[in-house]
Amino acid sequence: MGFYMKKNVFHDKVFWKALLRLALPIALQNLLTTSLSLIDTLMVGRLGDTAIAAVGIGSQISFFCNIVMFGIASGGAVFVAQYWGNGDKDGISRAYVMMLLCNIPIALLFIAAAFAMPGTLIGLFTNDADVIAVGASYIRIACISYLGVALSQTCSIVLRSVEEVKLPFITSALSVAINTVLNYALIFGKFGCPQLGVDGAAYATSIAALIAPVLLLIMSRAKKNAVASNFRAGFRISKDFAKSFFKKSLPVLANESLWALGVMCYNAVFGHMGTDNYAALTIFRTVENISFVFFVGVCNACNVIVAKSIGAGDIDKAKTYAGRFMVIVPVMAVIIGAGVIALRGPILTLFNSDAYVKTTAAALLMIYGIEMGVRNIPYISIVGIFRAGGDTKTGMKFDLMCLWLFALPVTAILGLVFKIDFLIVYTVMLLCEDIPKNIMCIQRFRSMKWIQPVVAVENMEES
């Protein structure tokens, strides 16, 4: 990959300007969004480890819903970014409307499931009756947030794909502020509000999630950007476009959905290995998500930059930019991983948990920090580069093969059958998933077969 990082990369002001302009606001937006989880965990943590585990498990349901919707939106983003490079505003509107028509029904289905059988869903992850009771109450209220997330996530991804990153950041900041104030008021009974405990966190989450897209749409209408202008044109969806959209989007949907389902299966295994272990995992996930926002920013910037170049017909530039990201991300991961390891002690003092939970969470952070450089190469490859090129099937194959055929069966056997130590099981899970996936992703990247322009396909179909 040295070819792509040749000397003049550091003097390519256009590249670095585009990277920073896109990556920093997106990273900050995701940091704000992720901080909601941190705020919930810190405040709910004052109620004890049962409450932490219950909210952590309840969040798994919303995580799965969000990932399914992200699958549709991420598939649609392939079209939006390449159309942006090609200057096709009507194409952007059509992709946006298709994303909404898919994601809103998905959100409503998850709301219905969480409202109708909350105890059954929480029971998939734990046998602890107290955790099931608290978690069921939590998701029955928090599930209303799924609709708000469907709208805000779809709009945000469209705006990011056309290089408009300020509005999503602003609305995320406002949403976090609202959620923080409501958390404090409703969990602990402040400002004259009732003291609702874990249910208060659920109400705060739902209210903030519903307000966010309203603010985003109001500001978008004022600016007449991609999610507000020419909206009616988006409903002129031809059969050929719908076919092309689903051809690219469904593999991403399957990829993200089955990957998320696999992660939930991991968590179900870990949940049945003890409430204390799951409480430690919940704390670890919160810190992990905060460190991951930097990679989300860079990956989104990669997706837009590479896809825009392909949409504009500049394939050589797309190859060069993609190669740079394949070097930038692991280097960045080593630096951030070292920071996580160094700061894990001070970070864990923020949580009100017993000694075993904190010790286990510290060990998980150590393992994560060491392995971070390897773990993020498939992420930038599949989500940032392959999808930008229009190759949405390869990532699905790699993700699902490594998770469902290797890592998950080994994790379940070691954790539930042989009852191996929790930390050993977690480490083996990472190695089984990440080593083969890295090898396959690097080989696919070097082949350049991931370059599959959707703009050319769509133009050919319309002619």
Side-chain angles (χ1 to χ4, degrees):
M1 280 175 244
F3 169 78
Y4 300 104
M5 291 298 287
K6 55 190 178 182
K7 247 175 156 182
N8 65 3
V9 66
F10 297 106
H11 303 287
D12 189 346
K13 294 181 180 179
V14 174
F15 171 76
W16 290 107
K17 184 178 180 180
L19 171 58
L20 294 175
R21 179 169 51 84
L22 292 169
L24 286 179
I26 293 171
L28 289 173
Q29 182 191 351
N30 279 273
L31 179 61
L32 288 169
T33 303
T34 303
S35 68
L36 293 178
S37 175
L38 175 62
I39 291 166
D40 277 354
T41 304
L42 288 173
M43 292 190 182
V44 170
R46 301 297 171 186
L47 306 176
D49 290 335
T50 295
I52 290 180
V55 172
I57 292 173
S59 297
Q60 288 299 304
I61 311 302
S62 61
F63 161 76
F64 185 54
C65 177
N66 293 349
I67 288 294
V68 172
M69 293 187 293
F70 174 76
I72 286 290
S74 183
V78 174
F79 289 85
V80 176
Q82 290 198 22
Y83 283 141
W84 177 242
N86 197 42
D88 186 350
K89 293 183 179 180
D90 286 349
I92 293 172
S93 295
R94 289 197 301 272
Y96 170 46
V97 169
M98 286 292 291
M99 291 154 70
L100 286 176
L101 291 176
C102 293
N103 277 343
I104 290 175
I106 289 171
L108 294 175
L109 285 173
F110 273 91
I111 290 172
F115 191 80
M117 50 182 183
T120 301
L121 294 175
I122 299 296
L124 296 174
F125 297 88
T126 181
N127 295 322
D128 190 317
D130 292 335
V131 173
I132 292 174
V134 175
S137 181
Y138 175 84
I139 66 165
R140 197 167 191 181
I141 300 166
C143 68
I144 304 302
S145 67
Y146 304 164
L147 181 59
V149 172
L151 295 171
S152 57
Q153 180 172 246
T154 301
C155 293
S156 292
I157 287 178
V158 170
L159 291 175
R160 290 175 187 175
S161 299
V162 299
E163 301 180 86
E164 171 59 77
V165 292
K166 291 181 180 178
L167 285 188
F169 170 72
I170 292 170
T171 53
S172 289
L174 293 172
S175 179
V176 168
I178 293 167
N179 197 356
T180 302
V181 172
L182 290 176
N183 261 327
Y184 181 68
L186 295 174
I187 292 174
F188 304 113
K190 304 297 183 179
F191 311 128
C193 296
Q195 185 175 343
L196 301 176
V198 171
D199 285 355
Y203 281 114
T205 297
S206 289
I207 293 169
L210 291 174
I211 289 175
V214 174
L215 295 174
L216 185 57
L217 289 170
I218 289 173
M219 288 188 280
S220 292
R221 187 164 183 81
K223 296 196 67 164
K224 296 181 179 180
N225 59 31
V227 301
S229 63
N230 207 29
F231 186 72
R232 292 181 180 177
F235 287 93
R236 294 195 288 270
I237 299 171
S238 68
K239 183 179 179 181
D240 286 338
F241 175 76
K243 181 179 178 181
S244 179
F245 181 90
F246 285 117
K247 183 179 180 181
K248 294 295 183 183
S249 295
L250 288 180
V252 182
L253 174 62
N255 186 175
E256 297 293 343
S257 301
L258 292 174
W259 172 81
L261 183 61
V263 172
M264 291 175 70
C265 290
Y266 283 145
N267 291 330
V269 172
F270 296 142
H272 284 88
M273 294 178 72
T275 298
D276 286 345
N277 287 327
Y278 202 90
L281 187 67
T282 300
I283 292 172
F284 159 69
R285 294 284 192 213
T286 302
V287 180
E288 176 192 28
N289 290 340
I290 291 174
S291 67
F292 190 63
V293 300
F294 300 103
F295 300 101
V296 173
V298 172
C299 186
N300 275 271
C302 171
N303 191 282
V304 173
I305 291 170
V306 173
K308 183 180 178 182
S309 298
I310 291 173
D314 197 339
I315 304 300
D316 287 339
K317 183 183 286 186
K319 292 179 181 179
T320 300
Y321 286 167
R324 291 175 182 176
F325 282 105
M326 286 290 283
V327 177
I328 290 169
V329 165
V331 171
M332 185 176 74
V334 170
I335 297 170
I336 295 174
V340 168
I341 293 170
L343 297 174
R344 70 190 189 284
I347 290 170
L348 293 174
T349 61
L350 299 172
F351 297 92
N352 182 31
S353 297
D354 64 31
Y356 175 82
V357 170
K358 286 187 177 180
T359 301
T360 305
L364 290 171
L365 289 170
M366 171 70 82
I367 296 166
Y368 173 66
I370 293 172
E371 207 251 358
M372 190 183 292
V374 175
R375 191 160 186 78
N376 283 286
I377 291 174
Y379 176 63
I380 191 66
S381 300
I382 294 171
V383 181
I385 296 173
F386 297 168
R387 290 181 189 173
D391 181 8
T392 57
K393 292 181 180 179
T394 298
M396 176 186 69
K397 295 174 186 176
F398 292 173
D399 265 339
L400 303 184
M401 183 187 306
C402 295
L403 193 159
W404 288 96
L405 295 183
F406 301 143
L408 185 56
V410 171
T411 302
I413 291 169
L414 293 181
L416 300 180
V417 179
F418 292 103
K419 301 189 183 301
I420 303 294
D421 180 77
F422 172 70
L423 292 174
I424 294 176
V425 174
Y426 184 81
T427 304
V428 172
M429 175 203 77
L430 293 179
L431 295 176
C432 286
E433 184 174 347
D434 290 344
I435 291 176
K437 196 189 298 184
N438 268 269
I439 294 170
M440 291 187 291
C441 283
I442 291 172
Q443 289 178 339
R444 180 66 175 182
F445 170 78
R446 292 172 67 88
S447 75
M448 294 298 165
K449 293 179 181 179
W450 49 269
I451 299 176
Q452 302 171 12
V454 300
V455 171
V457 172
E458 179 66 16
N459 288 342
M460 186 169 61
E461 287 176 342
E462 288 181 349
S463 64

